[in-house]
């Protein structure tokens, strides 16, 4: 065992399966909780599950299971118990009192990972806001957790000292963060408006966490977004220029990965970041075709896009990792999908060509103009602001015949209409 393994916290996972959740979905959910624990630098030493008609109002799981957990804690001495659901403040307080061990839930685990991953000032502010909003109603139930100094899973971000202060201080801090974030939101909004005015086409890359978005983002844009085989490897959004085969440039945004049961506090906190998705002209929805629950992942992302009111934006579905796709894989998106893999060299040009073809078919309108050679400035704008197919010089007319595609609401279209 190396030193890093020794430092990892030992965790017991706890899940409760309700009647509306199938065995398969529950199994995937518990596997995902284990993956989240690994991402938060924890080691799973045991898993405890229970089937119930409804969760216990007092302790989430039944009294018998609580007793079983107490014996397991004696035997394994875990550092933390992680519940696969959001615990109410009273449930958390009752469990902490009975079991005398640090307890966190799925929401707190996800918040913890986000706190670890945040790099930009905006990302850190959004995480702190989500953590404080989550902590506020749970202050009284956190006594034992907060008295244990030394960090660990579920204690990153605002930290113990902030959570030990009174509610008024936390509310004041929430207000401060909201004020700071509103400035960032205004700046981001102005930046988006400028891009729209300049007629720059915007594409958002979305998908379930760990679907391969950042890997493809790096290939498509020559960027250096963080990529690793972990959940939520990317947190802070990045926007870079992507060159299509025709030479037309678009802006591609990498976004935070979605996940089932994504905490509502996170959706609210990251709304300004997720605005990049809402403002996009096209969404590239990336799905890991090698994952057992790829259909569930696809549905989760679609549901979250509906919540963000972004479900009316055209979507090109990208089934990734085709080199490892499941034998029973069937593309569920009948209209507008491609199969690809970042590990296959020839797939990069094919991916870009598919994006260009989709834009021509779904978003852009064709144009055919004859521009006098004297209109050098307009010709330059046509080259940079539209997707040109061909440019031929007619010596007799001393004009350029240009064919291409353009966004229907683009400013330059008015000028082009004079020469159609």
């Amino acid at each position: 065992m190396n030193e890093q393994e020794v430092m990892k916290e030992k965790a017991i996972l706890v899940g409760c399966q309700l009647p509306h959740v199938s065995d398969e979905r529950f199994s995937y959910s518990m596997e995902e909780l284990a993956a989240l624990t690994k991402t938060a630098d924890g080691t799973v030493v045991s898993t405890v599950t229970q089937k119930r008609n409804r969760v216990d109002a007092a302790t989430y799981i039944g009294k018998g299971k609580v007793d079983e957990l107490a014996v397991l804690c004696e035997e394994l001495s875990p550092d933390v118990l992680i519940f696969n659901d959001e615990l109410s403040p009273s449930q958390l307080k009752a469990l902490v009192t009975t079991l005398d061990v640090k307890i966190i839930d799925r929401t707190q685990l996800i918040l913890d990972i986000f706190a670890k991953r945040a790099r930009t000032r905006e990302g850190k502010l959004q995480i702190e806001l989500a953590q404080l909003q989550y902590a506020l109603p749970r202050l009284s139930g956190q006594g034992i957790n907060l008295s244990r100094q030394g960090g660990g899973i579920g204690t990153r971000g605002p930290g113990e000292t902030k959570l030990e202060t009174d509610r008024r201080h936390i509310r004041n801090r929430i207000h401060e963060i909201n004020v700071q974030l509103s400035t960032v939101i205004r700046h981001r909004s102005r930046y988006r408006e400028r891009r729209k005015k300049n007629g720059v086409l915007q594409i958002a890359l979305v998908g379930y966490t760990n679907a391969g978005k950042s890997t493809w983002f790096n290939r498509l844009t020559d960027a250096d977004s963080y990529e690793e085989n972990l959940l939520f490897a990317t947190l802070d959004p990045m926007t870079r220029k992507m060159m299509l085969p025709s030479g037309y440039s678009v802006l591609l945004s990498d976004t935070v990965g979605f996940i089932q049961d994504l905490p509502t506090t996170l959706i609210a906190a990251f709304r300004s970041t997720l605005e990049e998705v809402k403002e996009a002209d096209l969404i590239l929805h990336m799905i890991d075709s090698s994952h057992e629950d790829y259909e569930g992942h696809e549905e989760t992302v679609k549901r979250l896009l509906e919540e963000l009111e972004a479900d009316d934006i055209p979507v090109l579905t990208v089934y990734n990792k085709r080199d490892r796709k499941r034998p029973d894989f069937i593309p569920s998106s009948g209209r507008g999908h491609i199969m690809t893999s970042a590990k296959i060299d020839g797939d990069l040009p094919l991916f870009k060509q598919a994006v260009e073809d989709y834009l021509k078919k779904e978003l852009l309108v064709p144009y055919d103009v004859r521009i006098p050679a004297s209109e050098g400035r307009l010709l330059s704008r046509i080259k940079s602001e539209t997707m040109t197919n061909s440019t031929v010089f007619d010596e007799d007319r001393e004009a350029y015949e240009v064919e291409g595609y353009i966004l229907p609401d683009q400013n330059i279209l008015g000028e082009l209409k004079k020469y159609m």
Side-chain angles (χ1 to χ4, degrees):
M1 240 187 194
N2 61 37
E3 196 178 329
Q4 199 175 5
E5 283 288 319
V6 174
M7 285 170 62
K8 287 191 173 184
E9 283 187 277
K10 291 191 294 182
I12 293 177
L13 308 186
V14 186
C16 184
Q17 184 181 355
L18 300 176
H20 68 276
V21 180
S22 68
D23 290 351
E24 193 178 34
R25 173 136 194 254
F26 182 68
S27 173
Y28 289 146
S29 183
M30 291 303 293
E31 283 170 23
E32 191 169 78
L33 188 68
L36 287 166
T37 304
K38 180 194 168 197
T39 302
D41 295 329
T43 303
V44 178
V45 291
S46 184
T47 301
V48 175
T49 61
Q50 181 180 36
K51 283 190 177 184
R52 287 180 66 88
N53 288 329
R54 60 179 183 273
V55 299
D56 189 285
T59 53
Y60 182 72
I61 50 174
K63 188 178 182 302
K65 277 289 170 186
V66 175
D67 294 341
E68 189 184 313
L69 263 181
V71 172
L72 206 56
C73 289
E74 284 280 318
E75 189 186 319
L76 300 173
S77 302
D79 300 294
V80 61
L81 300 185
I82 304 175
F83 281 71
N84 192 28
D85 204 345
E86 188 166 311
L87 298 174
S88 71
S90 61
Q91 286 169 340
L92 181 63
K93 187 175 183 180
L95 286 164
V96 165
T97 306
T98 308
L99 296 168
D100 190 29
V101 66
K102 183 168 75 172
I103 293 171
I104 65 170
D105 59 22
R106 185 187 175 91
T107 300
Q108 205 171 345
L109 180 62
I110 292 172
L111 288 170
D112 183 75
I113 293 166
F114 272 50
K116 184 178 153 193
R117 294 265 178 254
R119 294 286 176 271
T120 64
R121 176 172 164 269
E122 181 189 7
K124 287 172 182 174
L125 282 172
Q126 286 174 322
I127 279 301
E128 188 180 350
L129 177 64
Q131 286 181 311
L132 291 172
Q133 286 171 335
Y134 175 83
L136 194 57
R138 292 171 173 81
L139 282 176
S140 59
Q142 289 279 344
I144 187 168
N145 295 0
L146 303 179
S147 64
R148 294 182 176 186
Q149 302 298 319
I153 298 173
T155 59
R156 295 183 186 95
E160 291 88 346
T161 50
K162 281 195 180 67
L163 298 182
E164 282 168 338
T165 55
D166 63 9
R167 286 182 170 81
R168 195 186 317 132
H169 176 75
I170 290 182
R171 287 197 184 99
N172 287 344
R173 182 63 188 144
I174 287 172
H175 176 70
E176 282 171 30
I177 294 170
N178 278 321
V179 169
Q180 290 179 52
L181 279 174
S182 64
T183 309
V184 177
I185 291 164
R186 280 199 302 274
H187 172 75
R188 197 185 278 276
S189 176
R190 280 198 300 271
Y191 182 53
R192 274 198 302 267
E193 280 168 22
R194 192 161 66 242
R195 291 193 312 222
K196 285 276 186 200
K197 193 177 174 185
N198 294 339
V200 182
L201 202 141
Q202 296 170 70
I203 300 175
L205 193 54
V206 306
Y208 207 81
T209 182
N210 209 24
K213 296 184 303 300
S214 295
T215 303
W216 266 115
F217 181 75
N218 291 341
R219 306 285 187 282
L220 293 165
T221 65
D222 297 325
D224 57 353
S225 180
Y226 183 76
E227 56 180 82
E228 195 177 334
N229 186 27
L230 287 173
L231 301 184
F232 299 120
T234 304
L235 175 58
D236 299 306
M238 288 182 86
T239 301
R240 294 284 182 274
K241 193 179 280 189
M242 175 170 83
M243 189 78 78
L244 295 176
S246 63
Y248 182 56
S249 284
V250 296
L251 286 178
L252 182 67
S253 294
D254 189 15
T255 60
V256 62
F258 294 168
I259 194 166
Q260 68 178 17
D261 307 320
L262 190 67
T264 48
T265 48
L266 267 185
I267 295 173
F270 278 80
R271 197 156 284 278
S272 67
T273 305
L274 295 167
E275 288 289 326
E276 293 291 341
V277 179
K278 272 181 74 174
E279 295 294 327
D281 298 293
L282 170 67
I283 289 172
L284 296 180
H285 177 186
M286 189 161 285
I287 298 154
D288 177 358
S289 64
S290 70
H291 198 282
E292 295 170 309
D293 193 27
Y294 70 89
E295 289 173 303
H297 290 185
E298 188 168 355
E299 286 309 310
T300 296
V301 174
K302 284 179 180 174
R303 200 164 54 247
L304 284 165
L305 286 174
E306 281 175 26
E307 276 185 46
L308 290 167
E309 296 171 2
D311 51 321
D312 58 338
I313 298 168
V315 176
L316 174 60
T317 306
V318 182
Y319 291 106
N320 193 27
K321 307 184 187 180
R322 72 181 176 95
D323 53 318
R324 294 192 283 129
K325 76 173 186 285
R326 292 182 58 75
D328 58 350
F329 172 79
I330 300 169
S332 56
S333 177
R335 183 171 165 272
H337 76 266
I338 58 167
M339 298 288 302
T340 190
S341 170
K343 296 277 167 33
I344 299 172
D345 290 340
D347 277 13
L348 177 59
L350 292 175
F351 193 163
K352 287 190 172 185
Q353 189 60 57
V355 172
E356 185 168 296
D357 293 344
Y358 190 84
L359 290 174
K360 285 178 182 176
K361 187 177 152 198
E362 298 291 336
L363 270 90
L364 305 174
V365 293
Y367 70 85
D368 185 351
V369 290
R370 190 178 287 117
I371 309 291
S374 57
E375 292 285 350
R377 188 166 169 273
L378 181 58
L379 284 162
S380 175
R381 281 188 66 197
I382 288 171
K383 194 174 178 184
S384 64
E385 293 178 32
T386 77
M387 188 187 288
T388 54
N389 271 8
S390 68
T391 306
V392 180
F393 184 63
D394 184 334
E395 288 187 21
D396 297 334
R397 293 194 170 97
E398 289 196 350
Y400 288 92
E401 288 189 10
V402 187
E403 285 181 25
Y405 289 83
I406 189 170
L407 281 166
D409 56 353
Q410 216 160 319
N411 289 348
I412 194 175
L413 189 58
E415 291 183 54
L416 294 186
K417 280 179 178 172
K418 300 176 199 169
Y419 302 101
M420 283 179 178

Coordinates of all heavy atoms in Angstrom, one line a residue, residues 173-217:
R173 N -23.2 36.0 3.8 CA -22.2 35.5 2.8 C -22.9 35.1 1.5 O -22.4 35.4 0.4 CB -21.4 34.3 3.4 CG -20.3 33.7 2.5 CD -19.2 34.7 2.2 NE -18.3 34.2 1.2 CZ -17.8 34.9 0.3 NH1 -17.9 36.2 0.2 NH2 -16.9 34.3 -0.6
I174 N -24.1 34.5 1.7 CA -24.9 34.1 0.5 C -25.2 35.3 -0.3 O -25.1 35.4 -1.5 CB -26.1 33.3 0.9 CG1 -25.8 31.9 1.3 CG2 -27.1 33.2 -0.3 CD1 -26.9 31.1 1.9
H175 N -25.6 36.4 0.4 CA -25.9 37.7 -0.3 C -24.7 38.2 -1.0 O -24.8 38.7 -2.1 CB -26.5 38.7 0.8 CG -26.7 40.0 0.2 ND1 -27.8 40.3 -0.7 CD2 -26.1 41.2 0.3 CE1 -27.8 41.5 -1.1 NE2 -26.7 42.1 -0.5
E176 N -23.6 38.2 -0.3 CA -22.3 38.7 -0.9 C -22.0 38.0 -2.2 O -21.6 38.6 -3.2 CB -21.1 38.6 0.1 CG -21.0 39.6 1.2 CD -20.0 39.2 2.2 OE1 -19.0 38.5 1.8 OE2 -20.1 39.5 3.4
I177 N -22.1 36.6 -2.1 CA -21.7 35.8 -3.3 C -22.7 36.1 -4.5 O -22.3 36.3 -5.6 CB -21.8 34.3 -3.0 CG1 -20.6 34.0 -2.0 CG2 -21.6 33.5 -4.2 CD1 -20.7 32.6 -1.4
N178 N -24.0 36.3 -4.1 CA -25.0 36.6 -5.2 C -24.7 37.9 -5.9 O -24.8 38.0 -7.1 CB -26.4 36.6 -4.6 CG -27.0 35.2 -4.5 OD1 -26.8 34.3 -5.4 ND2 -27.7 34.9 -3.4
V179 N -24.2 38.9 -5.1 CA -23.9 40.2 -5.7 C -22.7 40.0 -6.6 O -22.7 40.6 -7.7 CB -23.5 41.2 -4.5 CG1 -22.9 42.5 -5.1 CG2 -24.8 41.6 -3.8
Q180 N -21.6 39.3 -6.1 CA -20.5 39.1 -7.0 C -20.8 38.3 -8.2 O -20.3 38.6 -9.3 CB -19.4 38.3 -6.2 CG -18.7 39.2 -5.1 CD -17.7 38.4 -4.3 OE1 -16.8 37.8 -4.9 NE2 -17.8 38.4 -3.0
L181 N -21.6 37.3 -8.1 CA -22.0 36.5 -9.2 C -22.8 37.2 -10.2 O -22.7 37.0 -11.4 CB -22.8 35.2 -8.8 CG -21.9 34.0 -8.3 CD1 -22.8 32.9 -7.8 CD2 -21.0 33.5 -9.4
S182 N -23.7 38.2 -9.8 CA -24.5 39.0 -10.7 C -23.6 39.8 -11.6 O -23.9 40.0 -12.8 CB -25.5 39.9 -9.9 OG -24.8 40.8 -9.2
T183 N -22.5 40.3 -11.1 CA -21.5 41.0 -11.9 C -20.9 40.1 -13.0 O -20.8 40.5 -14.2 CB -20.3 41.5 -11.1 OG1 -20.9 42.2 -10.0 CG2 -19.4 42.4 -11.9
V184 N -20.6 38.9 -12.6 CA -20.0 37.9 -13.6 C -21.1 37.5 -14.6 O -20.8 37.4 -15.8 CB -19.6 36.6 -12.8 CG1 -19.1 35.5 -13.8 CG2 -18.5 36.9 -11.8
I185 N -22.3 37.4 -14.2 CA -23.4 37.0 -15.1 C -23.6 38.1 -16.1 O -23.8 37.9 -17.3 CB -24.7 36.7 -14.3 CG1 -24.6 35.4 -13.5 CG2 -25.9 36.7 -15.3 CD1 -25.6 35.2 -12.4
R186 N -23.6 39.4 -15.7 CA -23.7 40.5 -16.6 C -22.6 40.6 -17.6 O -22.8 40.8 -18.8 CB -23.7 41.9 -15.8 CG -25.1 42.2 -15.2 CD -25.2 43.7 -14.8 NE -24.2 44.1 -13.9 CZ -24.2 44.0 -12.6 NH1 -25.3 43.5 -12.0 NH2 -23.2 44.4 -11.8
H187 N -21.4 40.3 -17.1 CA -20.2 40.3 -18.0 C -20.3 39.2 -19.1 O -20.1 39.4 -20.3 CB -18.9 40.1 -17.2 CG -17.7 39.9 -18.0 ND1 -17.1 40.9 -18.7 CD2 -17.0 38.7 -18.3 CE1 -16.1 40.4 -19.4 NE2 -16.0 39.1 -19.2
R188 N -20.7 38.0 -18.6 CA -20.9 36.9 -19.5 C -22.0 37.1 -20.5 O -21.9 36.8 -21.7 CB -21.3 35.6 -18.7 CG -21.1 34.3 -19.4 CD -21.6 33.2 -18.5 NE -20.6 32.8 -17.5 CZ -19.6 31.9 -17.8 NH1 -19.5 31.4 -19.0 NH2 -18.8 31.5 -16.9
S189 N -23.1 37.8 -20.0 CA -24.2 38.1 -20.9 C -23.8 39.1 -22.0 O -24.2 38.9 -23.2 CB -25.4 38.7 -20.1 OG -26.4 39.1 -20.9
R190 N -23.0 40.1 -21.6 CA -22.5 41.1 -22.6 C -21.6 40.4 -23.7 O -21.7 40.7 -24.8 CB -21.8 42.2 -21.9 CG -22.6 43.3 -21.3 CD -21.9 44.6 -21.0 NE -20.7 44.3 -20.1 CZ -20.8 44.4 -18.8 NH1 -22.0 44.7 -18.2 NH2 -19.7 44.2 -18.0
Y191 N -20.8 39.5 -23.2 CA -19.9 38.8 -24.1 C -20.7 38.0 -25.1 O -20.4 37.9 -26.3 CB -19.0 37.9 -23.2 CG -18.0 37.1 -24.0 CD1 -17.1 37.7 -24.8 CD2 -17.9 35.7 -23.8 CE1 -16.1 37.0 -25.5 CE2 -16.9 35.0 -24.5 CZ -16.1 35.6 -25.4 OH -15.1 34.9 -26.1
R192 N -21.8 37.3 -24.6 CA -22.6 36.5 -25.5 C -23.3 37.4 -26.5 O -23.4 37.0 -27.7 CB -23.7 35.7 -24.6 CG -23.2 34.4 -24.1 CD -24.3 33.5 -23.7 NE -25.2 34.1 -22.7 CZ -25.1 34.0 -21.4 NH1 -24.1 33.2 -20.9 NH2 -25.8 34.5 -20.6
E193 N -23.8 38.5 -26.0 CA -24.5 39.4 -27.0 C -23.6 39.9 -28.1 O -24.0 40.0 -29.2 CB -25.1 40.6 -26.2 CG -26.4 40.3 -25.5 CD -26.8 41.5 -24.5 OE1 -26.3 42.6 -24.7 OE2 -27.5 41.2 -23.5
R194 N -22.3 40.2 -27.7 CA -21.3 40.7 -28.7 C -21.1 39.6 -29.7 O -21.0 39.8 -30.9 CB -20.1 41.0 -28.0 CG -19.1 41.8 -28.9 CD -18.0 42.6 -28.1 NE -17.1 41.7 -27.4 CZ -17.0 41.7 -26.1 NH1 -17.8 42.5 -25.3 NH2 -16.2 40.9 -25.4
R195 N -21.0 38.3 -29.2 CA -20.8 37.2 -30.2 C -22.0 37.0 -31.1 O -21.8 36.8 -32.3 CB -20.6 35.9 -29.4 CG -19.3 35.9 -28.6 CD -18.9 34.5 -28.1 NE -19.9 33.7 -27.4 CZ -19.7 33.0 -26.3 NH1 -18.6 33.0 -25.7 NH2 -20.7 32.4 -25.7
K196 N -23.2 37.2 -30.6 CA -24.4 37.1 -31.4 C -24.4 38.2 -32.5 O -24.8 37.9 -33.6 CB -25.7 37.2 -30.5 CG -26.0 36.0 -29.7 CD -26.8 35.0 -30.5 CE -27.2 33.8 -29.6 NZ -27.5 32.6 -30.4
K197 N -24.1 39.4 -32.0 CA -24.1 40.6 -32.9 C -23.1 40.3 -34.1 O -23.3 40.7 -35.2 CB -23.7 41.8 -32.1 CG -24.0 43.1 -32.9 CD -23.6 44.3 -32.0 CE -23.8 45.6 -32.8 NZ -23.3 46.8 -32.0
N198 N -22.0 39.7 -33.7 CA -20.9 39.5 -34.8 C -21.3 38.3 -35.6 O -20.5 37.9 -36.5 CB -19.6 39.3 -34.1 CG -19.1 40.5 -33.5 OD1 -19.5 41.6 -33.8 ND2 -18.1 40.4 -32.5
G199 N -22.4 37.6 -35.3 CA -22.8 36.5 -36.1 C -22.0 35.2 -35.9 O -21.9 34.4 -36.8
V200 N -21.4 35.1 -34.8 CA -20.6 33.9 -34.5 C -21.5 32.8 -34.0 O -22.3 32.9 -33.1 CB -19.5 34.2 -33.4 CG1 -18.7 33.0 -33.1 CG2 -18.6 35.4 -33.8
L201 N -21.4 31.7 -34.7 CA -22.2 30.5 -34.4 C -21.7 29.8 -33.2 O -20.5 29.5 -33.1 CB -22.3 29.6 -35.6 CG -23.4 28.6 -35.7 CD1 -23.9 28.5 -37.1 CD2 -23.1 27.3 -35.1
Q202 N -22.6 29.5 -32.2 CA -22.2 28.9 -30.9 C -22.7 27.5 -30.8 O -23.9 27.2 -31.0 CB -22.7 29.8 -29.8 CG -22.1 31.2 -29.8 CD -22.8 32.1 -28.8 OE1 -22.6 31.9 -27.6 NE2 -23.5 33.1 -29.2
I203 N -21.8 26.6 -30.4 CA -22.1 25.2 -30.2 C -21.7 24.8 -28.8 O -20.7 25.2 -28.3 CB -21.3 24.3 -31.2 CG1 -21.7 24.7 -32.7 CG2 -21.6 22.8 -30.9 CD1 -20.9 23.9 -33.7
A204 N -22.7 24.1 -28.1 CA -22.4 23.7 -26.7 C -22.2 22.2 -26.7 O -23.0 21.4 -27.3 CB -23.5 24.1 -25.8
L205 N -21.2 21.7 -26.0 CA -20.9 20.3 -25.9 C -21.5 19.8 -24.5 O -21.0 20.3 -23.5 CB -19.4 20.0 -26.0 CG -18.8 18.7 -26.2 CD1 -19.4 18.0 -27.4 CD2 -17.3 18.8 -26.3
V206 N -22.6 19.0 -24.6 CA -23.2 18.6 -23.3 C -23.2 17.0 -23.2 O -23.0 16.4 -24.2 CB -24.6 19.1 -23.1 CG1 -24.7 20.6 -23.3 CG2 -25.6 18.4 -24.1
G207 N -23.4 16.5 -22.0 CA -23.5 15.1 -21.9 C -23.3 14.7 -20.4 O -23.0 15.5 -19.6
Y208 N -23.6 13.4 -20.2 CA -23.4 12.8 -18.9 C -22.0 12.9 -18.5 O -21.1 12.9 -19.3 CB -23.9 11.4 -18.9 CG -24.4 10.9 -17.5 CD1 -25.7 11.2 -17.1 CD2 -23.6 10.1 -16.7 CE1 -26.2 10.7 -15.9 CE2 -24.1 9.7 -15.5 CZ -25.4 10.0 -15.1 OH -25.9 9.5 -13.9
T209 N -21.7 13.0 -17.2 CA -20.3 13.2 -16.7 C -19.5 11.9 -17.2 O -20.0 10.8 -17.2 CB -20.3 13.3 -15.2 OG1 -18.9 13.5 -14.8 CG2 -20.9 12.2 -14.4
N210 N -18.3 12.2 -17.6 CA -17.4 11.1 -18.0 C -17.7 10.5 -19.4 O -17.3 9.4 -19.7 CB -17.2 10.0 -17.0 CG -15.9 9.4 -17.0 OD1 -14.9 10.0 -17.5 ND2 -15.8 8.2 -16.5
A211 N -18.5 11.2 -20.2 CA -18.9 10.7 -21.5 C -17.8 10.9 -22.6 O -17.8 10.3 -23.7 CB -20.2 11.4 -22.0
G212 N -16.8 11.7 -22.2 CA -15.7 12.0 -23.1 C -15.7 13.4 -23.7 O -15.0 13.7 -24.7
K213 N -16.5 14.3 -23.1 CA -16.6 15.7 -23.7 C -15.3 16.4 -23.8 O -14.9 17.0 -24.8 CB -17.6 16.5 -22.9 CG -19.0 15.9 -22.9 CD -20.0 16.8 -22.2 CE -19.7 17.1 -20.8 NZ -19.6 15.8 -20.0
S214 N -14.6 16.4 -22.6 CA -13.3 17.2 -22.6 C -12.3 16.7 -23.5 O -11.5 17.4 -24.1 CB -12.8 17.3 -21.2 OG -13.7 18.0 -20.3
T215 N -12.2 15.4 -23.7 CA -11.3 14.7 -24.6 C -11.5 15.2 -26.0 O -10.6 15.7 -26.8 CB -11.4 13.2 -24.6 OG1 -11.1 12.8 -23.2 CG2 -10.4 12.5 -25.5
W216 N -12.8 15.2 -26.4 CA -13.2 15.7 -27.8 C -13.0 17.2 -27.9 O -12.6 17.7 -28.9 CB -14.6 15.2 -28.1 CG -14.6 13.9 -28.9 CD1 -15.1 12.7 -28.5 CD2 -14.0 13.7 -30.1 NE1 -14.9 11.8 -29.4 CE2 -14.2 12.3 -30.5 CE3 -13.3 14.5 -31.1 CZ2 -13.8 11.7 -31.7 CZ3 -12.9 13.9 -32.2 CH2 -13.1 12.5 -32.5
F217 N -13.4 17.9 -26.8 CA -13.2 19.4 -26.8 C -11.7 19.7 -27.2 O -11.5 20.6 -28.0 CB -13.6 19.9 -25.5 CG -13.5 21.4 -25.4 CD1 -14.5 22.2 -26.0 CD2 -12.5 22.1 -24.7 CE1 -14.4 23.6 -25.9 CE2 -12.4 23.4 -24.6 CZ -13.3 24.2 -25.2

